Amino acid sequence: MIRPCPEALALVSQPGRPHPVSLREPDLSRKRERRRERRVTFQPHDLLRVDPAAVAGLSRDLPGWAAAALAAIPWVVMRRALPFDGLLPVGIRGHGRSERCAAWLPPAAIVECRAPEDLAAARAWRQSEIPALGALDAVAALLAGSDWGPAGSVGFELATGQPTANSDSDLDIVLRASSRVGSGEAGRLLTALATLPIRVDVVVETPLGACSLAEIAAGSSVVVKTPTGPRLVRDPWAKPA
């Protein structure tokens, strides 16, 4: 067990908040961990499959529901936070919104990574009565040529093959934009997405962090989510000072 960082202690002391734990597995190979760190850089929203050998020793560090969820579906999502003691910030999903567990994972425990862009490129979704899944073809047409992919419950289902989206699920989209998206362009995309029979939330990943497509369309300052917390900026594509 590692020593929690101050942010972790604050979360643990508040009922109903995500419960941060360490997913450190002491028997993992240090050489393999260093090799993975050199080869792979993970980004927020990436879905990471955990080595079953590492999952087996984690139950003592997790809430009961999280241990059961990870044993059943050994996948986690990369969170937007700073690494801690060489560990990656990840999140564990349960059955509902109240079951979300913040944790840290050694890179060597990861055996597969599926980014939202990988899921979009694979186009493995099926025709479905679930509106969020059924809208993916239309979203793919609107975002053709862009670096995008599904996240949230839809992304988790596509990566793991487990049914996690339901009739009430929104469609969460990640749009990675290394170059500037103008307010006019953002507005036109929002208008087109609004015609779909499902709520579509688009997070734009910029060099400074993530912000809402709707805020970009508004043409004023935007709140950018960064690993160290939210920032209010006028231009999320500006070079950091």
Side-chain angles (χ1 to χ4, degrees):
M1 172 70 73
I2 63 173
R3 178 176 54 83
C5 61
E7 291 83 356
L9 294 175
L11 286 171
V12 169
S13 65
Q14 300 179 39
R17 297 290 298 277
H19 181 77
V21 297
S22 168
L23 304 190
R24 182 188 291 279
E25 176 57 53
D27 296 329
L28 291 171
S29 164
R30 293 183 179 275
K31 181 182 294 186
R32 184 164 58 131
E33 182 170 352
R34 288 194 298 269
R35 185 169 64 249
R36 288 183 185 274
E37 286 177 331
R38 286 196 302 267
R39 186 175 68 242
V40 179
T41 299
F42 302 110
Q43 302 182 81
H45 310 291
D46 285 353
L47 287 156
L48 312 174
R49 185 162 65 90
V50 183
D51 188 340
V55 172
L58 300 177
S59 296
R60 65 184 180 276
D61 296 328
L62 294 170
W65 69 261
L70 193 61
I73 308 175
W75 286 80
V76 295
V77 61
M78 184 73 176
R79 292 188 291 116
R80 192 183 310 279
L82 294 174
F84 174 63
D85 194 25
L87 305 177
L88 299 174
V90 299
I92 301 170
R93 294 178 61 98
H95 291 295
R97 289 184 178 274
S98 62
E99 292 185 345
R100 297 290 186 269
C101 180
W104 287 270
L105 181 73
I110 299 166
V111 294
E112 183 180 357
C113 172
R114 302 204 71 187
E117 304 94 305
D118 299 331
L119 303 176
R123 295 181 69 93
W125 52 81
R126 65 190 186 281
Q127 291 298 320
S128 173
E129 295 180 358
I130 302 296
L133 284 164
L136 279 170
D137 279 333
V139 172
L142 289 171
L143 294 175
S146 301
D147 203 9
W148 73 282
S153 60
V154 169
F156 196 82
E157 177 166 334
L158 292 175
T160 66
Q162 299 296 319
T164 51
N166 57 51
S167 59
D168 296 324
S169 297
D170 294 339
L171 177 54
D172 298 314
I173 296 295
V174 176
L175 178 61
R176 300 202 195 272
S178 57
S179 57
R180 183 173 280 100
V181 176
S183 59
E185 182 182 0
R188 288 189 292 274
L189 178 55
L190 281 177
T191 299
L193 292 172
T195 66
L196 301 179
I198 182 68
R199 177 183 172 87
V200 182
D201 291 324
V202 180
V203 170
V204 182
E205 292 284 347
T206 78
L208 293 184
C211 55
S212 164
L213 182 69
E215 289 192 356
I216 294 173
S220 57
S221 297
V222 300
V223 176
V224 174
K225 296 179 181 178
T226 77
T228 57
R231 292 177 53 194
L232 183 65
V233 303
R234 293 193 59 84
D235 182 5
W237 285 273
K239 292 183 178 181

